Amino acid sequence: NYFISEAVFDYIVRAVARRHGAIVVEAGQVLAQDASLYLDLAHPDERGHRIVATLVNNALDSLLHPPQVAAQP
């Protein structure tokens, strides 16, 4: 068996994301606020997946459609 702590896993995910210029969607932090969103200790239920989908959609939307900055006169 091989086990790494959540903190180590999070560090690795963020390091790889930085290296590749990717963003990290913090779905785990959102889902962790409500245990009823999980089927077991690791897998979200349908409501949890809908929340994850919304978070990913919002992240992609902000990348594809960044806020417009008004031009300075």
Side-chain angles (χ1 to χ4, degrees), residues 2 12-13 19 25 30 32 40 43 45 61 68 70 72:
Y2 183 74
I12 292 169
V13 167
R19 181 180 307 148
V25 176
V30 174
D40 54 26
H43 301 95
D45 65 6
D61 191 49
Q68 298 296 319
Q72 298 294 325

Side-chain angles (χ1 to χ4, degrees), residues 1-14:
N1 288 335
Y2 183 74
F3 175 79
I4 61 172
S5 72
E6 186 175 341
V8 171
F9 180 80
D10 287 348
Y11 174 82
I12 292 169
V13 167
R14 282 168 180 69

Side-chain angles (χ1 to χ4, degrees), residues 3-64:
F3 175 79
I4 61 172
S5 72
E6 186 175 341
V8 171
F9 180 80
D10 287 348
Y11 174 82
I12 292 169
V13 167
R14 282 168 180 69
V16 171
R18 272 192 309 277
R19 181 180 307 148
H20 295 283
I23 62 168
V24 175
V25 176
E26 299 292 349
Q29 291 179 359
V30 174
L31 295 179
Q33 297 174 21
D34 184 354
S36 74
L37 295 171
Y38 287 92
L39 295 170
D40 54 26
L41 295 175
H43 301 95
D45 65 6
E46 182 180 343
R47 292 178 309 133
H49 280 289
R50 287 182 189 278
I51 291 169
V52 171
T54 298
L55 293 169
V56 170
N57 183 67
N58 292 344
L60 290 172
D61 191 49
S62 69
L63 288 173
L64 296 172

